[in-house]
Amino acid sequence: MKDNYLFVVYYQSRLILICVHNLLLKGPPGAGKTLLARTLPSILPKLTFDEMVEVTKIYSIAGILGKEAMVNKRPFRAPHHTTSMVGLIGGGSNPKPGEITLAHRGVLFLDEFPEFPRIMLESLRQPIEDAVVSISRAKGKTTFPAKCMLVAAQNPCPCGYLGDKYHLCTCAPTQILKYQKKISGPLLDRIDIHIDVPAVKVEKLTEKETADIENSQQIRNRVQNARDIQIQRYKDKNITSNAELNNKTIKEFCQLSDACIDLLKLAVAKMNLSGRAYYRSIKLSRTIADLDGAEDIQPNHIAEALQYRPKNNQL
């Protein structure tokens, strides 16, 4: 798609422009969740030469390199929820990379998130946290890279219309609870950005584009500028984005003022944030600050990052 029109109509703010941070889209059928996810590669920063080499090696090993000498576009992988564990994570008697590795330096899109078997979703926790997949077999241990952006999409309930103003939800409370419990708290805790995608109004589909709506290239330029800032900041750390920071490097590069710390303390108490969510919120606020062109993280950046935590967070 040349221009991600729905992308910009829904979210004039930066929340979807934040590259690499894991993302969950929740909304009714036909709201445009899949379209939003598929437009992401058009606004992500360009691959660096080192990233091209990494992705090309993976595709060569997997036998899907094709005729091109090098992969020069960020991968976008969208496996169906009926895929196997080996297909998603990798493995086999002669271990091969799975979809999460094939999405390295790109996007792994899991549509109908709760429809994936729970054991398969739980197997994502370690790769999301460590950015690698470790497969142990009798012959030895194999490690594949898995540094990708997880983008998941789901309905709020089995019928998809829970909370919708125009459609009646036909699900029983037990069905809704069972559906929502398919995604565990620890897995949700590893997702930085939780977005409710509203249903598309007919007026939005029929109205003409206005001059003040950004296209994909304009958005990508802003995202690329933020990524360039991060590459320069971490040039001595073998890190290319804020999402790759660990607890130690967060303390080194994400200095917080007393006002920011007080806001985070309040959020931990009111939102029941886990230690992981606490640090992920700081990393996300660092990215928001970069998109703002701010040298230091400000309280408004922290506040925006906290808005993207689950509203009913009980983690």
Side-chain angles (χ1 to χ4, degrees):
M1 180 174 293
K2 184 177 180 180
D3 285 342
N4 45 2
Y5 175 70
L6 285 178
F7 222 108
V8 184
V9 167
Y10 279 149
Y11 304 111
Q12 295 286 355
S13 65
R14 288 83 48 91
L15 50 93
I16 302 295
L17 311 182
I18 299 168
C19 48
V20 179
H21 296 279
N22 298 325
L23 168 68
L24 174 63
L25 301 169
K26 182 185 293 185
K33 302 185 295 296
T34 301
L35 177 59
L36 291 174
R38 291 188 180 279
T39 58
L40 265 172
S42 69
I43 65 170
L44 289 178
K46 296 179 180 179
L47 286 170
T48 65
F49 179 77
D50 289 341
E51 289 175 336
M52 289 183 190
V53 172
E54 290 177 19
V55 177
T56 301
K57 287 180 179 179
I58 293 170
Y59 275 47
S60 178
I61 292 171
I64 58 173
L65 182 57
K67 296 180 180 179
E68 64 270 19
M70 291 187 69
V71 177
N72 56 17
K73 293 182 179 180
R74 291 196 179 273
F76 181 90
R77 307 293 300 185
H80 192 261
H81 59 79
T82 57
T83 191
S84 65
M85 177 77 79
V86 171
L88 181 64
I89 304 299
S93 56
N94 183 22
K96 292 185 177 181
E99 291 290 342
I100 192 170
T101 297
L102 296 176
H104 180 67
R105 297 296 184 182
V107 176
L108 176 65
F109 176 48
L110 301 182
D111 202 2
E112 304 296 341
F113 201 37
E115 299 302 328
F116 283 83
R118 186 181 177 95
I119 188 173
M120 194 179 298
L121 294 180
E122 293 303 301
S123 67
L124 292 172
R125 287 162 54 179
Q126 179 264 329
I128 290 175
E129 194 72 17
D130 301 333
V132 294
V133 174
S134 298
I135 301 171
S136 297
R137 294 290 183 268
K139 297 180 181 179
K141 182 178 180 180
T142 303
T143 301
F144 294 121
K147 194 172 292 183
C148 65
M149 176 182 182
L150 172 65
V151 179
Q154 69 171 82
N155 296 327
C157 66
C159 79
Y161 294 111
L162 178 65
D164 191 276
K165 296 180 180 179
Y166 307 103
H167 297 84
L168 178 66
C169 176
T170 59
C171 303
T174 53
Q175 290 178 304
I176 297 173
L177 183 62
K178 183 179 179 181
Y179 181 81
Q180 294 178 345
K181 288 288 186 181
K182 289 183 177 180
I183 313 299
S184 70
L187 181 55
L188 290 175
D189 205 26
R190 287 167 166 80
I191 298 177
D192 303 330
I193 309 172
H194 295 248
I195 301 298
D196 290 325
V197 183
V200 181
K201 295 182 179 180
V202 176
E203 299 80 42
K204 293 294 184 182
L205 297 174
T206 56
E207 71 181 10
K208 295 182 179 180
E209 291 189 33
T210 58
D212 60 338
I213 292 181
E214 293 179 297
N215 60 34
S216 299
Q217 187 56 51
Q218 292 171 314
I219 297 172
R220 187 178 199 175
N221 290 340
R222 290 197 285 128
V223 175
Q224 185 67 58
N225 289 337
R227 174 57 65 86
D228 292 341
I229 291 171
Q230 294 165 33
I231 291 175
Q232 181 63 26
R233 180 188 296 134
Y234 309 126
K235 60 183 179 180
D236 299 325
K237 296 290 185 179
N238 194 30
I239 295 175
T240 58
S241 70
N242 296 323
E244 299 174 39
L245 296 173
N246 55 33
N247 294 355
K248 181 179 179 180
T249 49
I250 286 174
K251 294 178 181 178
E252 181 180 353
F253 292 102
C254 301
Q255 299 294 326
L256 300 177
S257 65
D258 291 341
C260 291
I261 293 174
D262 290 342
L263 183 56
L264 280 168
K265 287 181 178 179
L266 181 62
V268 169
K270 297 294 184 180
M271 301 172 66
N272 299 322
L273 295 182
S274 67
R276 180 183 294 109
Y278 172 85
Y279 282 112
R280 283 183 174 272
S281 296
I282 295 175
K283 290 193 290 185
L284 187 55
S285 64
R286 178 66 269 178
T287 301
I288 295 171
D290 289 340
L291 288 164
D292 255 353
E295 184 175 346
D296 299 317
I297 300 173
Q298 303 297 329
N300 61 298
H301 302 140
I302 296 286
E304 183 173 350
L306 291 171
Q307 290 179 14
Y308 306 139
R309 299 305 306 172
K311 300 300 184 294
N312 58 341
N313 197 341
Q314 299 296 326
L315 302 174

